[in-house]
Amino acid sequence: MDSVPDRDVTGFLAQGTSLNHSGIHSAPGKMPSGVLVQEVKAKTKTATSDSACPFLTQPLAAFTTAPAGKVDPIPLPQWQSTFNKLGSLPAKMDGRWVESDVANFVKKLGDFNSNDATDLQKALENDALTKAGWFGRYWDDMYFKLRLATPINVSFALKLNLPEVDTGTSSEENHSFYPVSGAILGAYEHLQMIQEKRLAVDQERGKALCMSQPEKLFGHRKACEDKDELIPCPQGKAQHIIVLSKGQLYRVQVSDESGKKISVHNLANTLTKISRKPKQDDAVDLTPMTSGNRNECAELQKDFVEFSEANRNVWQQVEDAFCCVCMDDSGGGDDSGKQLLAGIGSNRCFDKSLQFICMDKGEVGVTIEHSAADAGAWLPMANRAIKLLNSAEHWDGELASNEERLAPEIDDNMRSRLASASDHFKSDLSQVELKEVNVHNISQAVLKDKGVSPDAFYQLVFQLAAYHAGYDHPPTYESVSMRQFKHGRTDDLRSYSPEVMKFLTALNRGDVSDDGKAELLRNALDAHKQKIKDCKAGEGICRHLFALEKKWEELHPNEVADKPELFTDPVYLDLVKRSTLSTSCVADESISRFIFGPVENGGLGIAYYPTEHDLRVTVSWQKDNEKGQLFAASLERAANQLLEILGIERR
C-alpha cells in the first residue's frame, strides 16, 4: 500500500496482504505466516456490572538480525523490457491523452533511452551486488526524506478483532481495559521473540519470507532535519510503555531486567487508574511534536530537549518505549474511523511505530508508522494478542500496578508554538473524510469457481465506482507484497490498464453486445491477474523506473535542471507515479478495520479488508473532493453491475 514515491501529493499508504496475489492466499482462519487463528469477535463482556539528530541514541545498525530465511535478492529488471512495456502503453490506451502529449512522451522516452538509460542500468547492476541491493536505500530515502506530516500521509490504522474477555467480577470500567492490556502484553512477547531471535520465519506457500521487516518492529521514527532516522527499541527484558491521557504522559513498567512482567489484571488496573486522573494545570499535549511537517517536528523536538535536562529525560523515555497507549478525551471517538487514524489530534505520538488506541466498549485499534514495515509484518503480533487473551496462563505476572507521570518543563514560547502546531494539524485533520462501506454476499469461492480472481474483481469494482463518481481514467495504484525477496517491501501495480479502459468505454455503448462486454470485462480481469504475477516475479516497471531516477539524482547532485525530462512528463506521471486512486488490502481474521488517508488532492484512499463473503472498504478523501462520497455510494452498484455481466449471483 505504499504509493509510488517522490510525488507532489499528500502521502503514502500502508501495505498488507493482498488477496489472490500470486503466492499469497489468506484462507479463512489462517495467517499469511501459516499460524492458525481461531474465530474471534470484536466485543467484550463482564460477569457483572550537534547533528541533525543531537539526541539520537542508537544507530540503525543496532536492530537485531533474525534469520531472514533463504530468500533471493529482488531481481533487477532488464532495461529493454521496462522500456518496451512503458513505451507500448500509450498506444494501447488510445484517447487517454491528446496526440501531442503522447508524441512528447515518446520523444522523451527515446531521449532517455539513448542518453542515460544504459549507464544508469549498469550502475544499478553494481548496486545489486551490494547488501542493500539495487533498491534498498532508495526505499528508505522515500520515507525518511519525506517532509509531509506522517499521520495522514504515511501512517495507517487497524482495528483489532480481539476475542471476548470474561473478567469475572471486574467493574465495567476496569474491564474495558482488559483487551488492550492483553494486546500490549502480546506485543511485549512478540518483541522478546524478535530480540531473542526466536521468531519463526514467516512462510508463504511453504516458502520462507524475508524477515527484515519484523526485525524493525517497535522502533521509533526520529524527526530530523531533511532526513529522519529509525531507531530501534532498546534491547533487553526490561521494557516500558508510554500512556497518553488528557495531555499528560505516564510511564508504565511492563517488565523488569529479570523478565518479570505485569499481569493483564494489574495492567488493566493501571490503565483504569490513569484514565481517572484529572487533567493537571501544567498539562501540555506533546502531539504537535510529531504531527506536522517533519522539519518543523525536528525543530520542536530539538528545542524541547535542549530546554532542560528534565525534558531530555522525558523524551528519552518516549523514544525508548516499545509502544504508546492512547486515551482519547471526550469526543475522540466516532464511527468514521478517525479515532483510529488520529483521534481529534491530541494524545498521540506519531513517531512511535506502534500506538494502541483505547476505544469504546473495550475495542482496540493500532496506528502504525509505516516506514519500518508494512501491515503484513504486524499481523503475527495481532495473532499473538488473540492467543494471549484466549489463554488464561498468559495472564499471570509478578509486577505490581505502577505508573509514573512524566512532567515536561514548558515555557510560554514553547507552549505557544505547540498550540499553533496543534491548531494547524487539527485543521488538516478536519479536512479528511472517511466512510466505511460493506458490500455483502460476494462469495470468493463462487468467483474462483468462475475463473475470476477476487482481488482483480475488487479492483474492477473500484474502477467502475470511480467511473460512476466522475473520475476520468484515474491513475490507480495497488500494492503487491514482495517479501518473497530479500529486503522486499512492495511493488506498484498500476490497476488502471488498457483493458480496463476498453471495458469502461464500451460499458454504455449500445453497439456492444452483452457477450462483448463480458469478454472485455474478463480481458480486464485476466490482465490484472497477469500484472500481479509480473510484480510477484520482480518484473514490474514502476520501482525500476524510480530507482533509475534516484540513481540519476545520486550521480548528478548539482545538475537538477538537467534531469531527464521523462521523469516530469505528464503522460509518464499518469502511467507510473500518480495515484489518484490508491488501494491496498489487508485480509486477515485478526483485523476488522483498515484505514489510511488519501494520497492525492482530489484522490481517494481505498483500504479494503474483505472476508470470504463480503467486500469491506474504508474510503478516505479530502473534504473538498465531492467525488469521494459519490465513489463510496457507487460501490454497491458497481459490484452488482459486474456480477450481472459475469452471470454470477450474490450469495
Side-chain angles (χ1 to χ4, degrees):
M1 182 198 64
D2 329 86
S3 199
V4 175
D6 249 31
R7 59 198 187 286
D8 57 341
V9 292
T10 59
F12 303 129
L13 308 178
Q15 194 274 336
T17 304
S18 296
L19 279 179
N20 250 26
H21 286 178
S22 175
I24 294 185
H25 288 270
S26 294
K30 195 166 188 179
M31 302 279 286
S33 61
V35 180
L36 291 176
V37 182
Q38 69 179 77
E39 183 178 359
V40 294
K41 298 179 181 179
K43 62 179 181 179
T44 58
K45 63 179 182 179
T46 54
T48 61
S49 290
D50 327 349
S51 64
C53 290
F55 38 96
L56 181 63
T57 58
Q58 298 183 62
L60 190 60
F63 283 109
T64 59
T65 302
K70 295 182 179 180
V71 295
D72 295 324
I74 301 174
L76 174 62
Q78 295 296 314
W79 164 246
Q80 197 60 45
S81 173
T82 296
F83 173 77
N84 290 338
K85 290 177 181 178
L86 179 61
S88 68
L89 287 174
K92 295 178 181 178
M93 304 176 76
D94 185 37
R96 173 64 177 84
W97 303 276
V98 298
E99 290 185 8
S100 59
D101 286 346
V102 173
N104 285 334
F105 164 75
V106 171
K107 180 182 183 303
K108 293 171 186 176
L109 179 58
D111 290 343
F112 178 74
N113 181 54
S114 299
N115 301 327
D116 302 283
T118 300
D119 290 342
L120 295 176
Q121 180 74 9
K122 288 180 179 178
L124 291 183
E125 289 172 358
N126 291 331
D127 289 347
L129 302 176
T130 66
K131 183 177 180 180
W134 61 272
F135 193 72
R137 68 177 180 275
Y138 300 132
W139 184 276
D140 289 341
D141 285 353
M142 175 180 79
Y143 280 107
F144 296 131
K145 289 185 177 181
L146 181 73
R147 299 294 86 191
L148 297 172
T150 61
I152 299 171
N153 304 301
V154 177
S155 299
F156 63 94
L158 304 167
K159 185 177 177 182
L160 302 183
N161 199 22
L162 298 179
E164 293 182 348
V165 178
D166 189 342
T167 58
T169 58
S170 295
S171 69
E172 183 173 353
E173 181 182 21
N174 185 54
H175 162 79
S176 67
F177 288 106
Y178 271 81
V180 70
S181 298
I184 293 166
L185 290 174
Y188 168 74
E189 289 185 5
H190 202 69
L191 169 64
Q192 290 303 300
M193 294 187 75
I194 292 171
Q195 293 193 344
E196 296 170 8
K197 302 180 182 180
R198 294 185 290 115
L199 194 65
V201 174
D202 290 343
Q203 301 285 320
E204 184 179 284
R205 288 188 173 183
K207 295 183 179 180
L209 297 179
C210 178
M211 296 298 287
S212 61
Q213 290 184 53
E215 293 168 15
K216 298 177 183 178
L217 304 184
F218 307 105
H220 185 94
R221 176 172 174 166
K222 168 69 70 178
C224 302
E225 185 178 356
D226 297 331
K227 182 180 178 180
D228 291 355
E229 299 277 356
L230 183 65
I231 55 178
C233 181
Q235 290 283 319
K237 293 185 179 297
Q239 299 288 344
H240 68 273
I241 62 175
I242 295 294
V243 182
L244 300 94
S245 176
K246 302 181 180 72
Q248 297 164 145
L249 302 178
Y250 297 87
R251 183 189 188 279
V252 177
Q253 194 73 30
V254 171
S255 58
D256 64 15
E257 294 84 354
S258 67
K260 295 179 180 178
K261 66 179 182 179
I262 195 169
S263 67
V264 171
H265 178 74
N266 284 346
L267 183 53
N269 283 342
T270 299
L271 296 179
T272 301
K273 182 178 179 181
I274 290 173
S275 72
R276 293 171 177 169
K277 290 180 178 291
K279 183 175 182 178
Q280 301 297 315
D281 291 341
D282 63 346
V284 58
D285 182 32
L286 298 183
T287 302
M289 287 173 53
T290 63
S291 64
N293 172 279
R294 298 306 292 170
N295 284 342
E296 294 173 2
C297 288
E299 185 177 3
L300 280 171
Q301 291 179 26
K302 180 176 181 293
D303 292 347
F304 173 83
V305 300
E306 290 180 351
F307 183 77
S308 70
E309 186 64 25
N311 286 359
R312 178 180 290 271
N313 291 334
V314 165
W315 203 245
Q316 190 68 60
Q317 295 297 323
V318 172
E319 288 184 351
D320 288 349
F322 74 89
C323 71
C324 287
V325 180
C326 306
M327 299 180 180
D328 282 315
D329 300 334
S330 177
D334 61 27
D335 294 333
S336 75
K338 274 194 178 180
Q339 184 180 16
L340 290 169
L341 192 64
I344 58 174
S346 58
N347 299 315
R348 296 291 191 274
C349 179
F350 294 108
D351 287 2
K352 189 59 61 181
S353 292
L354 175 64
Q355 298 181 88
F356 283 103
I357 313 301
C358 300
M359 306 176 71
D360 292 340
K361 301 177 182 178
E363 294 183 321
V364 180
V366 293
T367 303
I368 304 294
E369 197 285 308
H370 193 198
S371 60
D374 304 314
W378 288 96
L379 294 179
M381 183 205 73
N383 177 54
R384 198 172 304 283
I386 292 171
K387 182 179 179 181
L388 185 145
L389 286 167
N390 278 322
S391 177
E393 64 183 84
H394 293 280
W395 284 49
D396 296 335
E398 300 171 274
L399 289 188
S401 300
N402 68 92
E403 83 280 342
E404 173 193 358
R405 186 184 169 207
L406 305 178
E409 298 175 346
I410 304 293
D411 63 7
D412 290 342
N413 177 57
M414 177 59 74
R415 192 177 294 273
S416 175
R417 291 168 64 190
L418 290 172
S420 177
S422 177
D423 289 344
H424 184 79
F425 173 57
K426 290 178 179 179
S427 176
D428 288 347
L429 187 60
S430 71
Q431 299 305 307
V432 177
E433 298 286 342
L434 298 170
K435 175 71 175 179
E436 185 176 36
V437 179
N438 292 322
V439 184
H440 299 293
N441 302 321
I442 300 177
S443 170
Q444 291 183 18
V446 172
L447 289 172
K448 293 173 185 177
D449 285 344
K450 296 292 185 178
V452 176
S453 158
D455 187 69
F457 179 82
Y458 301 147
Q459 288 290 327
L460 263 293
V461 169
F462 302 150
Q463 291 297 332
L464 184 52
Y467 174 82
H468 290 318
Y471 281 103
D472 184 21
H473 312 301
T476 305
Y477 166 86
E478 179 185 5
S479 60
V480 179
S481 175
M482 298 293 285
R483 281 187 67 195
Q484 72 274 23
F485 295 116
K486 186 177 180 180
H487 301 307
R489 290 287 297 259
T490 65
D491 206 344
D492 174 1
L493 189 156
R494 308 305 289 182
S495 300
Y496 190 86
S497 64
E499 293 80 8
V500 170
M501 180 177 172
K502 290 177 182 177
F503 166 68
L504 293 178
T505 301
L507 193 58
N508 294 322
R509 286 176 51 184
D511 60 341
V512 181
S513 67
D514 290 345
D515 288 344
K517 293 174 184 177
E519 181 180 359
L520 290 171
L521 173 54
R522 285 196 172 272
N523 289 343
L525 293 167
D526 290 344
H528 188 88
K529 189 174 182 179
Q530 184 59 49
K531 282 190 172 186
I532 293 172
K533 291 180 179 178
D534 289 345
C535 287
K536 294 295 287 184
E539 297 175 1
I541 67 172
C542 293
R543 301 302 191 207
H544 185 204
L545 290 163
F546 172 68
L548 290 167
E549 180 181 0
K550 294 292 113 177
K551 177 56 68 175
W552 189 95
E553 293 175 356
E554 179 184 317
L555 296 175
H556 305 84
N558 301 316
E559 302 173 37
V560 177
D562 296 325
K563 188 175 181 178
E565 294 182 344
L566 173 68
F567 296 123
T568 56
D569 179 83
V571 175
Y572 175 86
L573 296 178
D574 282 347
L575 289 171
V576 176
K577 281 197 167 186
R578 291 186 56 217
S579 300
T580 304
L581 307 186
S582 192
T583 75
S584 188
C585 175
V586 176
D588 193 88
E589 285 195 350
S590 63
I591 301 301
S592 62
R593 191 86 187 266
F594 173 35
I595 295 171
F596 53 82
V599 174
E600 288 189 5
N601 293 324
L604 306 175
I606 304 170
Y608 59 116
Y609 35 105
T611 67
E612 280 291 305
H613 300 286
D614 301 320
L615 171 58
R616 303 179 299 177
V617 185
T618 292
V619 187
S620 62
W621 66 91
Q622 295 290 338
K623 185 175 289 186
D624 59 0
N625 179 13
E626 297 179 355
K627 296 175 183 176
Q629 187 67 47
L630 291 173
F631 173 87
S634 298
L635 287 169
E636 181 96 19
R637 174 189 174 191
N640 285 335
Q641 282 182 277
L642 297 183
L643 291 171
E644 182 179 357
I645 292 171
L646 293 169
I648 298 175
E649 294 183 2
R650 291 180 67 171
R651 51 179 169 164

